[in-house]
Amino acid sequence: MPEFSAQTLLRSRAITIRDVYCQGCCTPQSAEEYATATELVFPYRGVYVRHLGQDQAVAEANHVLFFNATEGYRVSHPVPGGDATLSLAVNQSLLYELAPRALLREGATPAFRRLSLRIDARTQVLVALLRHSLRQNIAEPLEAESLALTLVQRALGPRTTHAAGASVGRQRLVDRAKLVLASDLARRWTLAEVGAEVRCSPVYLTQVFQQVEGQPLYRYQLRLRLARALDLLAQCDDLTALSLDLGFSSHSHFSAVFREVYGRTPSQFRQSALRR
């Protein structure tokens, strides 16, 4: 398989949606790359790090990343396994309507000020439903466009996002903790183990992670596991095996947590994703 591939799932005057896969072979930083259009990128499988000058963002399923047209960046894959993302390039005039002014730079074309924002559980569900419905060819263009614009609006909405506010040092510490969690989703990490990996005390790690991400470390790990479930449910018939593979103690535990976070059971999500 090629190192990088992209499949266009929808192309219209309003929006272009691509399913993008990367094998993740470049452990150090890649050569400089450029986005051809301003895009919102939703990682749904795996993890990588995007580097923009002295700044960086960990790309994983709890965040949306912003790629500005013609802006150079590099990527690295400190965790093996590659990654997959859903990329949305919205018509410029529509993006100006959807995005809060505080998120955009001044200029003739839309460009985001930030590298990423954390998204909520409902946004994760919209990403999965949009991708599954387009890949299964069960969403007509009008429905897919409407769902995609709803996804963009929710991902950028102030009530559903969280922008980290911390020093560079604290942000980098949290980034290292995210990579530790993403390296083994099924592992039942302890605070001491994660702290040892990132070389800080469990107490300090807990405090800094809460400050930067706005939620506890365990909740962040849980959302990573559930996002992986959203990715796999459409083609998975054995929910018990999936539950155990993702680190849950049982099928019932997985179903209860999934329903608490997403407002529906795994089976109900699977039915809505496949329309059956």
Side-chain angles (χ1 to χ4, degrees), residues 155-166:
L156 301 179
R159 289 174 296 177
T160 57
T161 61
H162 173 78

Side-chain angles (χ1 to χ4, degrees), residues 232-247:
L232 296 174
L233 274 170
Q235 63 263 21
C236 177
D237 293 319
D238 190 343
L239 294 184
T240 298
L242 177 63
S243 306
L244 299 177
D245 287 345
L246 292 176

